[in-house]
Amino acid sequence: MKQTVLKVEGMSCGHCVSAVEKALDQAGARGKVDLASKKVEIEYDESKVTLEALKAAIEDQGYDVVN
């Protein structure tokens, strides 16, 4: 399992946290959002999903992946 941390702009409430975590779950990863720092810790299997696909899943929810 690979782990990474992404900075995500546009999150401001509990709904945002749920939307991002659910999108990552549906994409095949586990994500934990830290709303205060606007960061998402992600754990995923590189053989099943790419980092680019995970970024796209977050952006599809209306948030901006900064890094």
Side-chain angles (χ1 to χ4, degrees):
M1 296 296 268
K2 181 157 175 122
Q3 295 183 355
T4 191
V5 176
L6 299 176
K7 183 161 176 70
V8 179
E9 293 292 332
M11 299 184 299
S12 61
C13 64
H15 171 74
C16 300
V17 170
S18 295
V20 170
E21 290 179 351
K22 183 176 179 182
L24 290 169
D25 184 54
Q26 290 176 343
R30 285 191 293 159
K32 182 176 179 192
V33 174
D34 181 343
L35 193 56
S37 67
K38 299 185 188 291
K39 293 185 179 177
V40 183
E41 295 178 21
I42 304 171
E43 185 175 290
Y44 63 102
D45 184 342
E46 286 182 292
S47 69
K48 296 181 180 177
V49 65
T50 65
L51 182 56
E52 292 306 314
L54 297 175
K55 289 179 181 180
I58 294 169
E59 290 175 345
D60 285 348
Q61 295 300 310
Y63 305 103
D64 296 316
V65 178
V66 178
N67 59 341

